[in-house]
Amino acid sequence: MMWVTNPASYCTYLNRLWYEFTGQSEGEALGLGWAKATHPDDGQRAKDAFLSANAAQEPFRIEYRLRRADGTYRWTIDAANPFFGEDGAFLGHVGSVIDIHERREAEEALRASEARFQAIANSVDQLIWSARPDGYHDYYNDRWYDYTGTAPGSTDGEAWNDVFHPEDRERAWAVWRGSLETGEPYRIEYRLRHCSGHYRWVLGRAQPVRDTEGRITRWFGSCTDIEEIVEAREVLTRSRAELTREVEARTEALMAAEAALRQSQKMEAVGQLTGGLAHDFNNLLTAITGSLELLTARLAEGRLNNVDRYVGAAQDAARRAAALTHRLLAFSRQQTLAPQPTNVDRLIAGMVELVQRTVGPGISVETIATPDLWNTLVDRSQLENALLNLCLNARDAMSQGGKLTIETTNCWLDDQAARLRDLPPGPYVLLSVSDNGTGMSPDVVARAFDPFFTTKPIGQGTGLGLSMIYGFVRQSNGQVRIHSKVGQGTTMRLYLPRHAGEAQDAEAAPERTLSAPRAAPDETVLVVDDEPTVRMLVVELLEDLGYTALEAADGPSGLQVLRSETRIDLLVTDVGLPGGMNGRQVAEAARTLRPGLKVLFITGYAESAVLSHCHLDPGMHVMTKPFTIMALAERIKTLVPG
Ligand code: ADP
Ligand code: MG
């Protein structure tokens, strides 16, 4: 639309388009009538702008709403320039009017959406930003500037470096570059400099925005402060680690305390044991030395009648001393187990008298034997020891007197019965020792087998009886079970596996005199022992038996004899020897020199470890000290039968 005015601000021309657009007639529009077609709110402003431009003879430009012929208003832009005559006189304005309604509306909508976005972006707690597809940051919300304390505009572009924690920079940039390359969302935790000057942990995320063709047009990102979450997370891991350390430290302390307690309990028991043993030994030694003194006196006087009494007394005391050390060895478990096929009834029969004497007259002892009782393979002295201990416990439980029953039976354990007793199914010899004493509470039953567990006052109980019995029975492939009721009594049951072989009747009292058949005179035995008395005794015994005896005080000199041409039928050697070789090594060297040579080891408790845990080769045998000369003679005779 075009128009022309004169210097007096009078509209002199409007083109056809104006009349078509506004529906005005020429009469209405000319002069200042055109202004009637503007919106009531815009008319005055448009008129004023025009009149002042006319007065100043200047160009002008104004936007206003213009009424169309159909009554609706459209935004238009009206721009005009003054024009002058040849003489420079002001002639008026020439202007054009363009319909810009659609553009205005679009701009309006954009502004509204921008305002809405700003309102949202500034109302959330997160820091929000956007970036161009090339990664250039071009927008931050107000929270960003508040949080980082930076001035608007200062963190545009790559100025991020300053707000990243120096240690996180490289990592954060790498992730950001990665996202820009792949278009994958960006997600990373890093420290951001807070306006307080401290760094705080934030979770940074960004998402690409794509156009309809899938091209990334921008990135929208946010940072969420997670300082408190990170702190809580750290506290949690730290306290977990601390807790673990604490538990470990306490467990360690507890275990140390327990070990110390066990050790002190053991020391107490050992003290009691050695104290008691020293006392017993002194008694026995007094009996032995006393008998020998009397014997010497009688021999000096030539009064030989009745001297057997002294010999017998000395032997008896020595035997009891041997039994004592045996118990001590059983306790320290360094004894070599010597299982033998055994008839338990016969073993019991040999002990009843001792048991009756030990438990005293207030307790009646009954034994119930089984005809044709099966044999079992056990170490006899240990079984005796176990039986004695069970009887002593029974006695202690019946301080007012009562009845002690020792009973045996053959029994078959079927699958279920065996499983209950933690044994393989099969035939067992069952040995039960019952009393009608105090009985045990379930609590005591549960702990009765524990080493050092005792309910008896110090000096009376060591708590070792049942633990030794348990060890022995388990070593013998058997089981022991307690059946007890408080106030009614206790039955201890020992299950020992049946042994198919014949029982050797070694329980018969040993002969008191040497009535051994003589050996063939050239049969030779080499004795290696560093203890001269033992060596002398053995050599004398051998000579009495008719053997030729050779002796050596240590391994190397023993080997010298073995290397010679001399006939040797048997090597008898101590296990602990001076001179750099123990008995086992001597025996092995001897076997290399003379394959198949028979060997008999004689061992004390400390040396038995050298032999235990390893199988002895055929032809090698062991005797544990102390032993009687008779027993040694028997043994040698079985090895070199003459
Ligand atoms: P100690 O006899 O030295 O106490 P034991 O190992 O022989 O040690 O026994 C452990 C504990 O088991 C005893 O202190 C006692 O409380 C209990 N006990 C063992 N046998 C019997 C029994 N026949 N009657 C009652 N209690 C028993
Ligand atoms: Mg006991």
Side-chain angles (χ1 to χ4, degrees), residues 393-394 397 435 438-440 444 448 453-456 461-467 490:
N393 281 348
D435 64 60
T438 57
M440 295 181 233
V444 171
F453 173 78
T454 179
T455 57
K456 297 169 193 173
T462 57
L464 290 170
L466 290 183
S467 85
T490 303

Side-chain angles (χ1 to χ4, degrees), residues 363-379:
I363 293 170
S364 65
V365 180
E366 188 188 355
T367 57
I368 305 172
T370 306
D372 301 320
L373 185 69
W374 295 327
N375 289 326
T376 181
L377 195 64
V378 287
D379 180 289

